[in-house]
Amino acid sequence: GVTAGVRYDLDTRIADWNNVAPRVAIAVAPPGKRFVLRGGVGLFYQSLPQDAVARAVLFADGGLQERTIANPVFPAADAAVAGPVSAWRLAGSLEQPRTLQASAAIERAFGRRSAFTAEYLRLHTSQAFRSRDVNAAAADSLVRPDPLHLNIFEIGSTGERRTDAVTVTMKTITRNLHATAQYTLSRTLDDGSTVFELPADSVTLAGEFGRADFDRLHKLNLAATYGWKKDRVRLGAVLAVSSGAPFNI
């Protein structure tokens, strides 16, 4: 069977109008065989988080002020010695992040009550939301472009993220036992895992691409339920194990 569709995403806070997102999925079950082949590809868009809009409004010029005071005195610092103000804003060239997702899988039945599935998933996100200080001084200078501001944090859509994952799943159903075992081998790389994450160097962003904050190379999930007395009593257990997250200093 073939399933196809198209979606249009509109975010009125962003001047980005060409967000047509087609997608298609295919499933093939050869006659006389005990396996199913599945595949799909689609385009998906992400809206601007409300937290990003709120921060850009609250800490815009004329809003709440965040200042740095050098060597403050107690109990009250003199406003006259306060340093330049910091601000947040949305980039004028914001676009909705787009994710291209593709997957392929094979599902094989074993006996009457067991099935094995192997799936490959590929995700590629472009124009992802991320922040940077557009008022940062260049590496060979200590002078900020705008001397009236300390930091100007700008939320833009210049990030990238890539995910590759292979997942194998085994399901078994008996009269009393329902069990599932799933293992995933995956890798996610990006240059900004969250919209507010700031780079180490806001002037040169090339060195930011690496493992995502939420990247886990290995993930294992086990789940089972067992029923007694014609399922009037059922006991369940879940175990989730994963390898460690990237270490960031």
Side-chain angles (χ1 to χ4, degrees):
V2 178
T3 302
V6 63
R7 175 187 172 99
Y8 179 73
D9 287 88
L10 175 63
D11 192 333
T12 58
R13 301 163 299 186
I14 300 177
D16 180 21
W17 311 101
N18 59 336
N19 301 319
V20 179
R23 65 278 313 257
V24 61
I26 302 174
V28 179
K33 304 296 183 180
R34 304 194 64 186
F35 66 87
V36 179
L37 299 175
R38 307 182 191 274
V41 62
L43 191 62
F44 302 85
Y45 288 88
Q46 177 186 346
S47 297
L48 182 64
Q50 188 61 38
D51 288 349
V53 178
R55 185 171 297 193
V57 172
L58 287 175
F59 291 96
D61 289 330
L64 297 179
Q65 293 189 351
E66 180 181 351
R67 293 181 179 270
T68 300
I69 301 176
N71 301 318
V73 296
F74 184 82
D78 187 353
V81 301
V85 67
S86 295
W88 282 83
R89 72 186 188 190
L90 301 177
S93 59
L94 268 182
E95 297 185 39
Q96 286 186 248
R98 53 180 60 91
T99 298
L100 180 62
Q101 175 179 318
S103 64
I106 180 172
E107 181 177 334
R108 176 72 160 83
F110 293 93
R112 299 177 58 185
R113 299 178 178 272
S114 299
F116 173 83
T117 303
E119 179 185 24
Y120 169 73
L121 174 67
R122 168 75 171 180
L123 298 171
H124 180 246
T125 301
S126 58
Q127 299 171 338
F129 294 127
R130 68 173 178 179
S131 301
R132 71 186 186 98
D133 180 10
V134 296
N135 201 41
D140 58 349
S141 172
L142 298 178
V143 180
R144 293 179 178 268
D146 183 355
L148 299 179
H149 286 82
L150 182 61
N151 301 311
I152 301 178
F153 300 116
E154 184 176 85
I155 300 172
S157 51
T158 59
E160 182 183 5
R161 179 177 298 128
R162 295 199 300 261
T163 297
D164 291 279
V166 175
T167 300
V168 291
T169 305
M170 186 69 185
K171 295 182 179 180
T172 299
I173 300 176
T174 65
R175 181 177 178 181
N176 300 105
L177 177 67
H178 296 183
T180 300
Q182 184 178 81
Y183 169 75
T184 301
L185 175 67
S186 66
R187 175 68 81 199
T188 299
L189 305 174
D190 65 16
D191 50 14
S193 297
T194 66
V195 64
F196 299 123
E197 184 174 318
L198 294 169
D201 184 354
S202 287
V203 178
T204 305
L205 301 174
E208 291 299 314
F209 200 78
R211 290 183 63 188
D213 290 351
F214 52 86
D215 180 45
R216 300 291 190 278
L217 182 61
H218 304 283
K219 287 182 287 187
L220 176 65
N221 294 286
L222 304 175
T225 62
Y226 192 86
W228 291 273
K229 298 181 178 181
K230 298 181 179 180
D231 268 353
R232 286 179 290 183
V233 178
R234 182 164 284 276
L235 175 66
V238 176
L239 173 66
V241 181
S242 67
S243 55
F247 181 73
N248 187 359
I249 59 174

